[in-house]
Amino acid sequence: MRVRRFVGENVSETMGKVKRELGSEAIILQTREFRDGGFFGLFGNKKVEITAAIEEKPVIPQETSSPNYENNVERVKPPIASHVSGLKDQSEGLQMEIKSMRLLLEQMNKQMAGVGEEKSVWPPALEKWAVHLQNRGICENLVNRLLSHVQQTLSPEKWLDDSQVYTRIEANIRQICGQIGLIQPGLDKPRIVALIGPTGVGKTTTIGKLAAGFSIVDKRKVALITADTYRVAAVEQLKTFGEIIGVPVEVVMTPTGLSEALLLHADKELIFIDTAGRSPHHDVHMHELRAFLDKAQPDFTMLVMSATTQSADQQQIYKRFEDLTTHLIFTKLDETGSAGSILNLLGQTTLPIAYLTNGQNVPDDIEAATPYRLAHYVMGDEIPHA
């Protein structure tokens, strides 16, 4: 059996190479996608690799020509019979080729159904960690990075020591989560903080927690402004927060109204702006958001994202809001068992994380982000068992 490895930009191109080199009778042994180049497997070019084989046919020696003249005389078939026989041979050959190609495609489809990112096979002592990290929502490339770090920094006999493996993985996660940036109140003028993001991620509750923390705990002079006039409930919720903590709340309808509200509270140390939730796919809504931010010129523009959002959707949201964003806030960490999606995003950005929320209680269920706390949420409390 002759085995060959083929690499191409996509399935069609790679399959074409298999067909040209080995023919339609080739057997697909393995199919996978991987990324070529990049950094730790990130940002590389996606490639398709197909390992195929073809059974070598034994060479059958030809019989020696008989000296008998009659046996060597070319037998001429009648023209019509010869034509019919040729068509039959072509038809049978075409049917065989179609059948072989169909089997080839069926094999490849079955294998490609499980193909996503490059898979790795780990020693039994580390396999349970690979499963645990994947269950936490961490993408395959980062799982590879984390466990490769374990292999490089721990000798094989220590891979069975859960505490040492955990420590190595956590340290690497903390390194990825190292960019932190918290709100600092202004000195000679108010520090303006705008919260942006899609609908339903908890912006209004988060802004209430921040305002309560700075006004009640830190004794800072704070004002609240809401531009979220699309939802009456959001306006009423923020007004209720303001009344409870003794902080003024302004409701603005236009970017010009926002400028006026900011001037009205120029004596404050912190001004928090709650914006309406915007779909990252809605261009008109994004344009409206930009108009408000252009007027506000915030010192901090914090993109609020829910930890319960699927990793792929988090990526799309981040890319859409990226050029407006200076900091990140992750909410609803108490509602997910796969907070590893946070790590997937942080592995692709240098933007700092500011705060994490883990409940509905105001102002308690919010905490300043630290690499240690992020690693805790990403890893979870549970040590995996084999």
Side-chain angles (χ1 to χ4, degrees), residues 317-335:
I317 292 167
Y318 169 74
K319 288 177 182 177
R320 189 67 162 133
F321 287 92
E322 181 181 10
D323 63 327
L324 303 174
T325 304
T326 64
H327 293 70
L328 302 171
I329 294 176
F330 286 98
T331 61
K332 304 186 180 183
L333 283 157
D334 58 312
E335 298 180 19

Side-chain angles (χ1 to χ4, degrees), residues 218-233:
D218 295 345
K219 308 299 181 184
R220 299 291 186 175
K221 293 191 293 183
V222 175
L224 290 171
I225 299 175
T226 178
D228 186 4
T229 55
Y230 285 84
R231 296 187 306 130
V232 175

Side-chain angles (χ1 to χ4, degrees), residues 305-321:
M305 290 195 291
S306 170
T308 63
T309 303
Q310 293 183 1
S311 185
D313 293 331
Q314 284 185 3
Q315 304 283 342
Q316 289 186 354
I317 292 167
Y318 169 74
K319 288 177 182 177
R320 189 67 162 133
F321 287 92

Side-chain angles (χ1 to χ4, degrees), residues 223-226 235 238-243 247-251 265:
L224 290 171
I225 299 175
T226 178
V235 174
L238 206 59
K239 283 184 175 180
T240 301
F241 284 151
E243 291 174 2
V247 167
V249 178
E250 304 292 338
V251 180
H265 294 286

Side-chain angles (χ1 to χ4, degrees), residues 29-58:
L29 301 178
Q30 183 183 22
T31 305
R32 72 183 182 108
E33 286 184 353
F34 67 98
R35 291 192 179 274
D36 184 29
F39 180 71
F40 287 108
L42 299 173
F43 311 115
N45 297 320
K46 184 176 286 188
K47 302 280 188 179
V48 173
E49 177 189 278
I50 297 177
T51 303
I54 185 71
E55 196 72 42
E56 297 282 16
K57 294 181 179 179

Side-chain angles (χ1 to χ4, degrees), residues 254-256 258 285-296:
T254 64
T256 301
L258 176 57
H285 286 177
M286 293 298 294
H287 180 74
E288 290 176 356
L289 175 62
R290 289 176 187 275
F292 276 100
L293 294 178
D294 286 343
K295 283 293 184 182

